[in-house]
Amino acid sequence: MSGKLYVGLDVGGTAIKAGVCSEDGKLLHTFEGPTENEKGSDRVMANMAQYARTVVEQMSASWDDVEGVGLGVPGFLDIQNGVLLTSPNLVLRNAPLKSYLSEQLGKPVLINNDANVAALGEAWGGAGRGVSDCVMYTLGTGVGGGIIIGGRIVVGFNAMAGELGHIAIVPDLEAIQCGCGKKGCLETVSSATGIIRMAKDAVARGDLAPLAGLDTITAKDVFDAAKAGNETAARIVQRAAHYLGKSMALVSVVVNPQRFIIGGGVAKAGEYLFEQIREAYFKHALEAASKGVEIVPAELGNNAGVVGAAGLILRS
Amino acid sequence: MSGKLYVGLDVGGTAIKAGVCSEDGKLLHTFEGPTENEKGSDRVMANMAQYARTVVEQMSASWDDVEGVGLGVPGFLDIQNGVLLTSPNLVLRNAPLKSYLSEQLGKPVLINNDANVAALGEAWGGAGRGVSDCVMYTLGTGVGGGIIIGGRIVVGFNAMAGELGHIAIVPDLEAIQCGCGKKGCLETVSSATGIIRMAKDAVARGDLAPLAGLDTITAKDVFDAAKAGNETAARIVQRAAHYLGKSMALVSVVVNPQRFIIGGGVAKAGEYLFEQIREAYFKHALEAASKGVEIVPAELGNNAGVVGAAGLILRS
């Protein structure tokens, strides 16, 4: 092995994934180990350091070739100082990740939140490769996001940049309560949760027979029914795509990205969904802003986090 | 004089304003000369070069102390190459401003559009001083804007970042046509033009007696009537402030700026307007994003353009 290496850690509640990238954002090797949350804060931090070294050793590379280590972490962070303040999924509190790991590993260390890091991963080494301004939407349980301008993550004053799920987009008369306390957030209609809720409502009013017998309804069930020609399911998908595309039209006159990248479980619905998103976007966007803009699926799947974490060192 | 100097040119259809700033964004001297559009493209460009030298000579500074020259230009630009493609107010077409001026002046030259440059001016040397992420709204005939992240202008793929007047914010049932061809744009309610239109509608239905006798209605007339206690005028102002604040709530989950700066003629209405904007913003914004965020008036008035133009060299 030769050339500069960038190590990324994607820290989750049950597992920590480590990855090594080349300078151009190519993922060369990964390693995954248990977080061991139950063994306490010190053990979790020691694991981070260990897995960073392990992933490099496993590919028979020299630690000297490592330029730096980046971490994607779920929770509230003091990014500047590299401290994890609190996290819903981790035992750590006020954990000085940056100072601890840079001392343990002898390399520059940077942290950022997991959604931002995933967006950077796609921008650097995935669907946004070669594009300097992209916006990523992650359609899962909620709607997450990340804004990449000039190849770098936009964090924002309260680290809330890219919280695209909380764009208020549904008109008041149709808006329902979001988990955030506000009404009409994009997340209430374009997340898996939103799609499932609309489907359950339809089943309850006797309007979505193919899904009526299911114990649990998934977003995939709704897409499958829509693709099979069920009109109610098709309207639900159309509604999710409509507000998503409309929110992108707004984002286009704020930061005007070249490319929108859509990831997360819901994006697996494929071209059937993407065509409808594009239609809604180009219908609502100012033509001068949307000309040439692309809406594409994410490419890295679960690896977006490690790739983006590795990219922090280069792109900060 | 000693220390580095930054020269800015704010190019308008009738006049070109030149200014000199210190490294910390303080405006040291200005000079204004005629654009002379009627004398053709070559003359306008020669005037730019001349006025840049004149403003420095007038303050008895040495041209050697000038670090670079920036231009704020109205129109469609190829910012990368420094070419003005077309402009509604200038005779220039496909004018290579950057290469011409850098040759004439022997200094680095950068160009950007006038709205972005005004936002940078406020961010660097005005109401955003010391703040790295700010968003500026300019409430005039239309609603313009500019996004400053990490102290730098966000231009966008089609140079349409910060076109905040075209955020679709008015619900469909109340939306009217915008000049851009879309419906419900912020500009239709929160610009001077929007406020005047609402006032004219009210006068026409006999609902705004104090303004009924006027030959022309200005936004100031509406604010004056509102401040004097006229309920209809007050509702018009409230509507303008409501949608403005609501659009800022959206911007807060896209780029999450620390400070919103509001300039333009309408902002002269002062605290009466600002209080209502803040109320609308904090009501609609996600608390985690809006905590500590400030909404303040612009400070530089007509000088924002020259200051921001001068800042291009430092902040690009």
Side-chain angles (χ1 to χ4, degrees):
Chain A
M1 282 308 300
S2 69
K4 294 173 179 175
L5 299 178
Y6 299 84
V7 174
L9 297 175
D10 182 7
V11 181
T14 52
I16 297 170
K17 189 186 248 183
V20 181
C21 287
S22 58
E23 200 163 0
D24 60 351
K26 203 172 150 194
L27 183 60
L28 304 172
H29 190 65
T30 61
F31 167 82
E32 196 170 304
T35 308
E36 300 188 303
N37 236 329
E38 69 287 359
K39 297 193 179 161
S41 194
D42 289 354
R43 181 59 170 264
V44 173
M45 285 169 72
N47 283 342
M48 292 178 189
Q50 183 54 54
Y51 301 163
R53 289 197 181 271
T54 302
V55 72
V56 174
E57 279 164 18
Q58 281 192 350
M59 58 183 284
S60 308
S62 161
W63 187 252
D64 293 343
D65 290 335
V66 173
E67 290 287 305
V69 179
L71 278 79
V73 189
F76 290 97
L77 312 178
D78 173 351
I79 291 170
Q80 203 81 31
N81 295 307
V83 177
L84 170 61
L85 304 173
T86 63
S87 169
N89 309 324
L90 296 170
V91 67
L92 309 180
R93 292 289 173 276
N94 300 313
L97 297 178
K98 180 176 173 162
S99 60
Y100 170 82
L101 288 170
S102 59
E103 197 185 315
Q104 291 292 312
L105 299 172
K107 300 289 177 184
V109 172
L110 289 172
I111 73 172
N112 213 304
N113 81 51
D114 51 354
N116 285 343
V117 156
L120 179 61
E122 286 289 344
W124 182 40
R129 198 178 264 271
V131 170
S132 68
D133 300 347
C134 352
V135 168
M136 179 157 181
Y137 282 76
T138 304
L139 312 180
T141 310
V143 172
I147 314 281
I148 308 294
I149 300 293
R152 291 159 203 279
I153 295 170
V154 177
V155 171
F157 174 53
N158 289 316
M160 294 292 283
E163 288 287 342
L164 305 173
H166 301 290
I167 292 178
I169 195 83
V170 184
D172 287 349
L173 294 173
E174 304 166 33
I176 68 154
Q177 183 90 25
C178 179
C180 76
K182 301 286 171 191
K183 280 185 162 186
C185 293
L186 178 64
E187 181 163 303
T188 63
V189 283
S190 302
S191 64
T193 314
I195 290 169
I196 291 164
R197 178 189 53 76
M198 292 188 277
K200 283 182 177 167
D201 288 351
V203 167
R205 66 174 186 262
D207 219 11
L208 191 50
L211 306 191
L214 301 178
D215 282 343
T216 49
I217 296 175
T218 65
K220 185 173 183 303
D221 295 329
V222 181
F223 282 106
D224 288 346
K227 290 175 187 172
N230 180 284
E231 280 186 27
T232 302
R235 273 202 303 276
I236 291 171
V237 171
Q238 197 185 10
R239 192 159 185 253
H242 169 81
Y243 288 115
L244 188 60
K246 210 172 170 186
S247 81
M248 291 172 173
L250 296 177
V251 171
S252 280
V253 286
V254 181
V255 291
N256 193 22
Q258 177 172 357
R259 201 171 284 175
F260 288 97
I261 301 169
I262 308 182
V266 174
K268 290 184 185 146
E271 275 304 298
Y272 176 76
L273 173 65
F274 276 77
E275 278 170 17
Q276 296 185 55
I277 297 169
R278 289 187 196 109
E279 191 183 329
Y281 169 69
F282 287 106
K283 183 181 163 196
H284 289 101
L286 201 61
E287 197 192 340
S290 64
K291 202 175 158 188
V293 169
E294 294 162 310
I295 298 175
V296 301
E299 290 176 3
L300 301 179
N302 293 331
N303 286 330
V306 276
V307 173
L312 283 176
I313 298 292
L314 261 181
R315 297 290 192 91
S316 293
Chain B
M1 281 311 300
S2 70
K4 294 174 178 175
L5 300 177
Y6 299 85
V7 175
L9 296 175
D10 182 9
V11 181
T14 52
I16 296 170
K17 188 187 250 183
V20 182
C21 288
S22 59
E23 200 162 1
D24 61 351
K26 204 172 149 192
L27 183 59
L28 304 172
H29 190 66
T30 61
F31 167 83
E32 196 169 305
T35 307
E36 301 188 302
N37 237 328
E38 70 285 0
K39 297 192 179 162
S41 193
D42 289 354
R43 180 60 169 262
V44 173
M45 286 170 71
N47 283 342
M48 293 177 190
Q50 182 55 54
Y51 301 163
R53 289 198 181 270
T54 302
V55 73
V56 174
E57 279 164 18
Q58 281 191 349
M59 58 183 284
S60 308
S62 161
W63 186 252
D64 292 343
D65 290 336
V66 173
E67 290 288 304
V69 179
L71 280 80
V73 190
F76 290 96
L77 311 178
D78 174 350
I79 291 171
Q80 204 81 31
N81 295 307
V83 177
L84 170 62
L85 304 173
T86 63
S87 170
N89 309 324
L90 296 170
V91 66
L92 310 179
R93 292 289 173 276
N94 300 314
L97 297 180
K98 180 177 172 161
S99 61
Y100 170 82
L101 288 171
S102 58
E103 198 185 314
Q104 292 291 313
L105 299 173
K107 300 289 178 185
V109 172
L110 289 172
I111 74 172
N112 213 305
N113 81 49
D114 50 355
N116 285 343
V117 156
L120 179 61
E122 286 289 344
W124 182 41
R129 197 179 265 270
V131 170
S132 69
D133 299 348
C134 349
V135 168
M136 180 159 180
Y137 282 77
T138 303
L139 312 179
T141 310
V143 172
I147 314 282
I148 309 294
I149 299 293
R152 290 159 203 279
I153 295 169
V154 177
V155 171
F157 175 54
N158 288 316
M160 294 292 283
E163 288 287 343
L164 305 172
H166 300 291
I167 293 179
I169 195 82
V170 184
D172 287 350
L173 295 173
E174 305 166 31
I176 69 154
Q177 182 90 25
C178 178
C180 78
K182 301 288 171 189
K183 280 185 162 187
C185 293
L186 178 64
E187 180 162 303
T188 63
V189 282
S190 303
S191 64
T193 314
I195 290 168
I196 292 164
R197 178 190 52 77
M198 292 189 277
K200 282 183 178 167
D201 287 350
V203 167
R205 66 175 185 262
D207 219 11
L208 190 50
L211 306 191
L214 301 178
D215 281 345
T216 51
I217 295 174
T218 66
K220 185 174 183 302
D221 295 330
V222 181
F223 282 106
D224 288 345
K227 289 175 187 172
N230 182 284
E231 280 186 25
T232 302
R235 272 202 303 276
I236 291 171
V237 172
Q238 197 186 10
R239 193 159 184 253
H242 168 82
Y243 288 115
L244 187 59
K246 210 172 170 184
S247 81
M248 290 173 174
L250 297 177
V251 171
S252 279
V253 288
V254 181
V255 291
N256 193 22
Q258 178 172 357
R259 202 172 281 175
F260 288 98
I261 301 169
I262 308 182
V266 174
K268 290 186 184 143
E271 275 304 298
Y272 176 77
L273 173 65
F274 276 76
E275 277 171 18
Q276 296 185 56
I277 296 169
R278 289 187 196 108
E279 191 184 327
Y281 169 70
F282 286 107
K283 183 181 163 195
H284 288 100
L286 202 60
E287 197 192 340
S290 63
K291 202 175 158 188
V293 169
E294 295 162 311
I295 299 176
V296 301
E299 290 176 2
L300 301 178
N302 293 331
N303 286 330
V306 276
V307 172
L312 283 175
I313 297 294
L314 261 182
R315 298 289 193 91
S316 291

